[in-house]
Amino acid sequence: MNANPSVQAVVLVAATLLLLPLPVALLRGWTPERLRSRAVARAYAFAMLGLYAQACLNTVPRMLDAPVGLTTACSAAGVALGVAAAVFFLQAAARGRRAHPEGPC
């Protein structure tokens, strides 16, 4: 059932390189000018960490050739993390609108 572990490893490396550096920087205090608010930056960081955790939950059990039940449970947890990430993205958008109600500069 599980795919080639090499493919899963490449996906995990790509997710680590693309999804991990920005949220770590945002949580350490760096806020780009475009986000305008620390609260918005934190919400974006949590959303991206949720997507990274989803990638880990979907690849690691397959790399380890885990049983079908465990792989399915991890995939379901990954879906829950995806939903949580969407909520954080929506929260960031709402906070961004409240910070500057007149619109984008």
Side-chain angles (χ1 to χ4, degrees), residues 1-8 59 61-65:
M1 174 188 157
N2 297 332
N4 186 355
S6 300
V7 173
Q8 301 297 328
T59 56
R62 288 172 174 82
M63 285 173 54
L64 299 176
D65 201 26

Side-chain angles (χ1 to χ4, degrees), residues 19-89:
L19 293 174
L20 199 56
L22 181 62
V24 169
L26 290 173
L27 290 175
R28 297 230 29 213
W30 176 73
T31 304
E33 292 179 24
R34 191 171 175 192
L35 292 182
R36 300 182 187 132
S37 167
R38 182 86 178 111
V40 173
R42 287 181 56 87
Y44 273 119
F46 289 137
M48 291 182 70
L49 286 175
L51 293 177
Y52 176 70
Q54 179 184 24
C56 292
L57 281 172
N58 283 325
T59 56
V60 172
R62 288 172 174 82
M63 285 173 54
L64 299 176
D65 201 26
V68 175
L70 181 62
T71 304
T72 304
C74 288
S75 294
V79 169
L81 283 171
V83 169
V87 168
F88 276 116
F89 278 129

